[in-house]
């Protein structure tokens, strides 16, 4: 079970990895640079920061951002796995998956607490 | 029924009004500067931008950010109404309420479309 | 001479136009989707929000963000002009140029005031 | 001499510490909740992310955001030192100072490279 601090760290890591992977994908071109894939990673990078920030402020609604986060990152992890032809994409997929997991625990914990 | 463009405009307006109202509240002090109130306006300002950006990218998951947005702004509108002792807080409450309304229509439209 | 309110509006407009133009460019492919061009528009979209937010908070250091903004947008306007083969790129170039102009006035006004 | 990766880590740490310290300051009230102090920490939190993101994208203009960053954080570190009456403020001051240092090295390195 991830602590909130772990989840914040996972979100910031995932944000960083997604942002730098976007550049990698644009350089590769082809399916990696498909608008839907780039957009999904942009969505993922942004929702990661929002989710981290809501937790850093101990916001009572952070479970809502964590729930979205978990969903977006699960999609991003799948998309990166599909395109995984080297360590950059594999790392991005793994980071997204770990982050999806801890955000989804955070969202569930909050529902119980509420 | 708000168009997506209207909703983007409402989100950016709401972001702007919340950010400048935070300063107003810190200057007033007392209940206006209560941590819970300031935090709620910070949450609101941030989720507004996230929601606008997801729509600007025509992201297929924008209905999820719009749904959160609607919830956070409804809370923010209520809190600003409670503290409404002048035109700044009234404007913030009205802007949040308008934005909550258009985001909630956007979230509902997406559910139907899906 | 642009007022601060005009400059905030220009920054938010420029943010919106850059974000949606990124998707347009990814769909076009080729030079439009070149990593350097996409990155420049991402930089532009992000510094626009930062600059708008510093002004919305009436931050005493907003002239520093405005100065960067003016530089990044001038570069972005040139790059979009180079690629301008239709109204989307022309609009993006014009929006960036207008925003560069008002930010640069804002940065200069602050230097005089300081 | 900090590497770019170190500087990104420092920026993300500084962002996190500033955001959570804002809440601490609002709870303490008095000088800690003064509008100028809260605003400075908001500025600091936002420019940290912008600076980190420009480096994560390997943006050629990241030295400009790093230079602003260094300035804002130096101010933030001084303000937190002035108010340092416990470990939260001391930690915030130290984190800002370390981040100011690595950003200022990054900005200088770029100038040499250019």
């Amino acid at each position: 079970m991830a602590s909130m601090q772990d989840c914040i760290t996972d979100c910031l890591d995932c944000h960083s990895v997604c942002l730098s992977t976007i550049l990698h994908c644009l350089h590769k071109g082809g399916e990696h640079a498909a608008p839907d894939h780039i957009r999904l990673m942009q969505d993922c990078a942004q929702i990661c920061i929002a989710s981290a920030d809501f937790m850093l402020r101990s916001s009572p609604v952070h479970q809502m951002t964590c729930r979205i986060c978990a969903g977006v990152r699960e999609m991003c992890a799948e998309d990166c796995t599909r395109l995984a032809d080297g360590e950059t994409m594999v790392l991005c997929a793994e980071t997204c998956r770990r982050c999806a997991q801890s955000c989804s625990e955070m969202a569930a914990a909050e529902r119980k607490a509420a």
Side-chain angles (χ1 to χ4, degrees), chain A:
Chain A
M1 177 76 197
S3 69
M4 192 180 283
Q5 189 50 58
D6 293 337
C7 191
I8 292 169
T9 303
D10 288 345
C11 286
L12 293 175
D13 279 355
C14 191
H15 170 80
S16 299
V17 170
C18 283
L19 268 199
S20 55
T21 304
I22 286 173
L23 262 289
H24 168 83
C25 287
L26 292 171
H27 277 289
K28 288 217 80 163
E31 269 195 295
H32 286 79
D36 287 356
H37 179 61
I38 300 294
R39 174 168 61 198
L40 185 50
M41 288 203 295
Q42 287 177 308
D43 286 355
C44 196
Q46 185 168 25
I47 203 71
C48 281
I49 282 292
S51 205
D53 286 1
F54 274 60
M55 288 187 279
L56 285 163
R57 286 192 288 266
S58 308
S59 165
V61 296
H62 75 265
Q63 80 279 15
M64 299 203 293
T65 46
C66 281
R67 207 167 309 143
I68 289 192
C69 245
V72 173
R73 277 163 218 167
E74 199 51 63
M75 287 188 283
C76 195
E78 276 171 38
D79 220 33
C80 287
T81 301
R82 183 176 60 79
L83 297 167
D85 55 354
E87 62 183 53
T88 305
M89 300 310 289
V90 169
L91 174 66
C92 195
E94 281 169 2
T95 310
C96 286
R97 196 152 283 136
R98 188 171 54 247
C99 192
Q101 178 62 29
S102 66
C103 274
S104 125
E105 287 175 16
M106 202 52 56
E110 285 308 306
R111 274 201 298 271
K112 262 186 282 176

